[in-house]
Amino acid sequence: MSTAQILFLIFSAVVVAAAVMVVLSRRIMRAALWLVLALFGVALIFALLDASFFAVVQVLVYVGAIATLLIFAIMLTRGVMDDSKAQLNRGWPFALLVCLGLFGGLVYILSQWNRFNSAAPALPQDAYDLTLFGLALTSPDGYLVAFEAASVLLLAAMVGAIYLALEKRGN
Amino acid sequence: MIPLSWYLILAALLFCIGLFGVLARKNSVAVLMSVELMLNAVNINLLAFWRYLYLTSTAYNGFVFVVVLFAVAAAETAVGLAIIISAYRSRKTVAAEDFTALQG
């Protein structure tokens, strides 16, 4: 087994264990901290995929911003849910069944695919030019439509979030 | 060398754990956290396909997908938490099963 494989197994074990704790942990604040660990593990997986830019963006956006936002929301709504009671719905065995079925189905379908076990090609010297990526993102010949769609989505989300969370005084 | 299948199985597993959280958790903030797990699984898949199948110096399709997905995840969290806080103000609960105002 190569070093990369051992690293992958360690990182994925961390990610999966932390994800299971996010779903099962009784106290919501602990679940949020496990989520931070899972997101860090995903950043490490990105680094293994030679996508170091996205590893850094993952830490900045998810661990830096989204996790902070979630913890704020937890603290604003704390004490409403009783920690000592079960945190899962009554129908959770059905949910487990659905998820196990989906996982088995996905793995079965993927294993039929003839490129399932393909190895990674060697990374070319110029595969990672972020300046060119930025230019392609904003050029009409490149991905301008996707870029603009993401911008409009963020603007709409910002306006919506401000409107929803604003305390309406006077009524 | 790590085969592509390892990444795909990890992503499938992460997605299914997130799906279980979405279906089974009572607390709606925990449901949002499970959605984050699912979005991360998709990102792993996209970057693995970029690295293994579409690695060229001129096509940035995989990167654009991942960047757009980051924006979607940020927007989803912001709007979702705003909705939860707004619902908490009016109903004093964050349990997903108590949000029945839209029920017919």
Side-chain angles (χ1 to χ4, degrees), chain A residues 46 53-54 57 61-62 66 133 136-138 142-155 157, chain B residues 36 39-40 42-43 46-47 60-77:
Chain A
F46 287 175
F53 172 67
F54 287 106
V57 172
V61 173
Y62 273 102
I66 292 182
F133 173 53
L137 209 54
T138 50
Y143 304 95
L144 186 66
V145 178
F147 183 74
E148 288 296 329
S151 317
V152 172
L153 174 75
L154 278 179
L155 179 69
Chain B
E36 297 299 327
L39 287 170
N40 266 282
V42 176
N43 263 345
L46 289 173
L47 280 176
Y60 291 102
N61 301 12
F63 277 22
V64 174
F65 268 117
V66 178
V67 165
V68 170
L69 207 62
F70 269 115
V72 169
E76 175 259 336
T77 315

Side-chain angles (χ1 to χ4, degrees), chain A residues 15-23 99, chain B residues 11-22 34 37-38:
Chain A
V15 170
V16 170
V20 169
M21 289 307 291
V22 170
V23 173
C99 295
Chain B
L13 191 57
L14 197 58
F15 189 88
C16 292
I17 295 171
L19 183 65
F20 177 74
V22 170
S34 308
L37 287 180
M38 293 166 78

Side-chain angles (χ1 to χ4, degrees), chain A residues 15-97:
Chain A
V15 170
V16 170
V20 169
M21 289 307 291
V22 170
V23 173
L24 294 183
S25 115
R26 207 164 265 258
R27 300 177 62 174
I28 183 78
M29 192 56 119
R30 288 197 186 155
L33 296 178
W34 282 114
L35 181 71
V36 169
L37 183 63
L39 298 175
F40 255 120
V42 173
L44 293 173
I45 298 282
F46 287 175
L48 271 185
L49 277 167
D50 296 311
S52 46
F53 172 67
F54 287 106
V56 174
V57 172
Q58 168 90 2
V59 173
L60 273 177
V61 173
Y62 273 102
V63 181
I66 292 182
T68 316
L69 211 59
L70 280 168
I71 289 172
F72 257 104
I74 290 168
M75 292 197 294
L76 283 174
T77 58
R78 207 163 45 165
V80 242
M81 296 280 291
D82 191 358
D83 282 343
S84 56
K85 281 201 207 127
Q87 293 294 302
L88 298 178
N89 286 329
R90 277 186 312 278
W92 70 266
F94 297 105
L96 189 64
L97 208 65

Side-chain angles (χ1 to χ4, degrees), chain A residues 93-169:
Chain A
F94 297 105
L96 189 64
L97 208 65
V98 167
C99 295
L100 287 178
L102 179 67
F103 180 65
L106 277 175
V107 171
Y108 174 72
I109 289 171
L110 284 171
S111 66
Q112 306 289 311
W113 183 41
N114 57 0
R115 296 174 84 176
F116 188 44
N117 265 315
S118 52
L123 201 65
Q125 203 66 44
D126 55 349
Y128 217 93
D129 199 334
L130 282 177
T131 322
L132 286 181
F133 173 53
L135 286 175
L137 209 54
T138 50
S139 99
D141 303 325
Y143 304 95
L144 186 66
V145 178
F147 183 74
E148 288 296 329
S151 317
V152 172
L153 174 75
L154 278 179
L155 179 69
M158 197 164 68
V159 173
I162 292 172
Y163 174 75
L164 280 172
L166 208 65
E167 197 145 11
K168 292 170 191 69
R169 290 178 200 281

